């Protein structure tokens, strides 16, 4: 078995550039059937690359996120990270339990509630640009703007004190590292974050608040429908996912816009920002390992291949989002692209709960930067921008800019 496993292609596939999907993904998609791959940790998995197949896996009850339902031990989950970062969170449950947990936080992320946060996000973005301008060029856009904007917004939503916010960046870095941290370091970060959030929840039990942590505490105390462990795990997933992906996408987006000329166009045509955000969401291969692993719960045929209970499946969103049967000229970044049914936020019951929040923050980021700094440009040649290569999500290590 060991020899057979070594003969399988290793995943993630190597790419020539961090923001350009590996050509092996297109080759796999053109084969029109899932292929078997081996991952750095855990077991082997089927890799799904076609748009139609991706939507089926993400939306069908034949595929789940709870490994126990498929009889898979936690250590055997196919993954690129030393530990499975979503175990015992909202992201690792299936309906009906997933539906119950999701309901507790859905109200915080409705489009109307998120739109109410836009003015505050715009104030944060303007303040960050003010600080950049005051310090003068060059600047690291990732550190001074991209990282700070989403963490301030999500921490305001949850009610995390400003003085504690830097700690979450370090904890999340350890959780999402694919090679730079050990399993013990990642587990220690989970424990530290859990302890901190439990402490914050305890304070709200004694002194109620109107933030999201306070709202979840009320659900637990008054409704007795949310266990203390469930509440802490929910908060940890929201806090990590609520800032990490957007903090990575802001510099990813700006890099591509500056490299390919779209930034100047947005400065001249600000009404294109929402459309540009959708196209960049489609175009950027954010996750390094496809989507979160799905587990086959009942025998099913997919792309002419029979998948059996206990098999594991990775949906490669970057490949699905460049499927030419759905997106004309899929390799072209067209910021005025019209119909754009991309899968950047997933699909089905696990579709990203914070999609509206992420869209709003990305729109605010691009609108503010192009309005305040229309002459922004890279401070180094585009091929000299350094990239993090040991993370669950793709992003530059630094994004040097000037104006």
């Amino acid at each position: 078995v060991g020899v057979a496993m070594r003969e399988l292609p290793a995943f993630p596939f190597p790419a020539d550039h961090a923001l350009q999907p590996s050509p092996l993904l297109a080759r796999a998609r053109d084969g029109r059937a899932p292929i078997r791959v081996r991952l750095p940790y855990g077991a082997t998995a089927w890799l799904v690359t076609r748009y139609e197949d991706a939507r089926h896996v993400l939306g069908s009850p034949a595929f789940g996120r709870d490994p126990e339902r498929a009889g898979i031990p936690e250590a055997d989950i196919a993954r690129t990270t030393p530990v499975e970062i979503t175990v015992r969170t909202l992201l690792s449950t299936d309906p009906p339990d997933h539906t119950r947990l999701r309901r507790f936080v859905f109200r915080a992320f409705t489009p109307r509630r998120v739109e109410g946060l836009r003015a505050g996000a715009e104030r944060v973005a303007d303040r960050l640009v003010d600080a950049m301008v005051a310090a003068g060029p060059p600047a690291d856009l990732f550190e001074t703007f991209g990282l700070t904007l989403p963490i301030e917004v999500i921490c305001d939503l949850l009610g995390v004190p400003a003085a504690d916010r830097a700690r979450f960046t370090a904890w999340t870095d350890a959780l999402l590292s694919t090679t730079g941290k050990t399993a013990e370091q990642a587990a220690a970060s989970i424990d530290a974050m859990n302890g901190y959030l439990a402490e914050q929840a305890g304070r709200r039990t004694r002194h109620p608040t109107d933030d999201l942590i306070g709202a979840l505490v009320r659900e637990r105390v008054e409704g007795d429908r949310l266990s203390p462990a469930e509440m802490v795990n929910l908060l940890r997933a929201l806090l990590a996912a609520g800032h990490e992906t957007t903090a990575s996408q802001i510099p990813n987006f700006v890099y591509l816009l500056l490299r390919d000329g779209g930034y100047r166009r947005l400065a001249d045509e600000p009404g294109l920002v929402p459309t540009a955000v959708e196209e960049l969401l489609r175009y950027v291969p954010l996750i390094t390992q496809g989507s979160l692993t799905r587990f086959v719960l009942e025998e099913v045929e997919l792309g002419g291949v029979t998948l059996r209970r206990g098999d594991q499946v990775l949906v490669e969103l970057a490949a699905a989002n460049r499927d030419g049967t759905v997106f004309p000229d899929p390799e072209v970044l067209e910021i005025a692209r019209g119909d754009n049914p991309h899968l950047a936020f997933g699909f089905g019951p696990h579709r990203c709960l914070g999609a509206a929040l992420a869209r709003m923050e990305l729109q605010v980021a691009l609108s503010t930067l192009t309005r305040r700094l229309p002459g922004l440009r890279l401070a180094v040649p585009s091929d000299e921008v350094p990239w993090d290569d040991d993370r669950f999500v793709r992003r530059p290590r630094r994004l040097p800019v000037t104006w």
Side-chain angles (χ1 to χ4, degrees):
V1 175
V3 174
M5 182 173 176
R6 285 195 299 271
E7 291 175 350
L8 295 175
F11 187 83
F13 297 148
D16 294 334
H17 187 278
L19 295 187
Q20 180 61 39
S22 169
L24 294 177
L25 288 176
R27 193 179 307 168
R29 187 182 58 231
D30 292 344
R32 305 189 63 78
I35 63 170
R36 195 87 169 176
V37 295
R38 58 183 169 90
L39 277 79
Y41 305 96
T44 64
W46 290 100
L47 183 67
V48 170
T49 51
R50 295 175 63 232
Y51 183 91
E52 180 182 350
D53 291 344
R55 277 177 56 108
H56 183 70
V57 171
L58 298 177
S60 169
F63 302 87
R65 278 287 301 138
D66 183 352
E68 291 185 8
R69 295 181 65 206
I72 298 172
E74 185 175 320
D76 291 342
I77 296 174
R79 61 195 187 279
T80 59
T81 51
V83 296
E84 171 52 45
I85 60 177
T86 63
V87 164
R88 293 181 293 280
T89 70
L90 179 68
L91 297 175
S92 64
T93 58
D94 293 323
D97 209 33
H98 175 268
T99 308
R100 177 181 67 87
L101 292 172
R102 190 179 175 100
R103 189 171 62 244
F104 286 118
V105 292
F106 177 75
R107 289 189 297 274
F109 293 100
T110 61
R112 175 181 287 185
R113 176 78 182 270
V114 166
E115 199 56 34
L117 300 173
R118 185 181 291 267
E122 289 172 341
R123 287 192 294 271
V124 172
D126 271 318
R127 174 166 52 79
L128 295 175
V129 173
D130 287 342
M132 285 173 57
V133 171
D140 175 6
L141 190 77
F142 170 62
E143 186 70 31
T144 60
F145 187 89
L147 186 63
T148 309
L149 174 62
I151 200 167
E152 289 211 13
V153 172
I154 194 66
C155 286
D156 282 343
L157 183 64
L158 268 68
V160 171
D164 295 340
R165 294 174 183 182
R167 301 162 71 178
F168 290 105
T169 303
W171 287 333
T172 305
D173 279 346
L175 287 181
L176 297 179
S177 173
T178 55
T179 59
K181 304 291 182 182
T182 65
E184 290 75 18
Q185 289 172 313
S189 292
I190 291 176
D191 290 341
M193 195 181 294
N194 284 353
Y196 175 86
L197 292 169
E199 176 189 350
Q200 291 292 317
R203 291 181 181 178
R204 283 148 177 86
T205 302
R206 300 185 297 273
H207 306 287
T209 61
D210 291 329
D211 52 46
L212 184 54
I213 297 179
L216 291 179
V217 167
R218 283 196 298 277
E219 291 282 3
R220 177 171 66 82
V221 174
E222 297 172 9
D224 197 27
R225 294 173 294 173
L226 190 66
S227 74
E230 286 176 332
M231 181 181 63
V232 167
N233 287 332
L234 268 178
L235 290 171
R236 189 183 79 240
L238 290 171
L239 195 52
H243 85 269
E244 172 67 28
T245 52
T246 310
S248 298
Q249 286 291 51
I250 290 172
N252 287 342
F253 285 13
V254 173
Y255 170 84
L256 287 173
L257 290 169
L258 291 177
R259 187 193 70 178
D260 298 345
Y263 188 91
R264 182 72 248 181
R265 185 177 178 187
L266 287 185
D268 293 338
E269 302 178 63
L272 276 180
V273 165
T275 306
V277 165
E278 297 307 311
E279 174 67 348
L280 286 158
L281 285 166
R282 179 195 73 85
Y283 191 83
V284 172
L286 177 65
I287 307 300
T288 58
Q289 73 152 44
S291 68
L292 298 171
T293 311
R294 261 67 181 180
F295 312 106
V296 182
L297 303 177
E298 59 187 62
E299 187 170 301
V300 62
E301 184 173 306
L302 191 70
V305 174
T306 299
L307 308 184
R308 294 178 171 81
R309 184 181 185 275
D311 283 352
Q312 302 188 55
V313 179
L314 292 177
V315 175
E316 184 39 270
L317 297 174
N321 279 336
R322 297 198 186 194
D323 189 330
T325 66
V326 179
F327 304 99
D329 298 319
E331 300 300 325
V332 176
L333 176 63
E334 175 46 73
I335 61 174
R337 187 182 294 270
D339 186 31
N340 200 338
H342 63 75
L343 299 176
F345 294 119
F347 182 75
H350 281 281
R351 185 179 183 276
C352 177
L353 191 64
L357 181 66
R359 279 193 168 101
M360 182 273 286
E361 290 178 317
L362 292 167
Q363 290 170 8
V364 166
L366 295 187
S367 292
T368 302
L369 288 170
T370 53
R371 172 176 54 85
R372 298 285 308 278
L373 298 171
L376 192 74
R377 61 189 185 277
L378 292 174
V380 298
S382 61
D383 59 0
E384 293 182 13
V385 172
W387 294 86
D388 267 332
D389 55 6
D390 67 343
R391 298 180 60 79
F392 183 76
V393 296
R394 292 180 172 90
R395 72 184 191 193
R397 189 173 296 115
R398 296 181 305 280
L399 187 62
V401 295
T402 188
W403 55 92

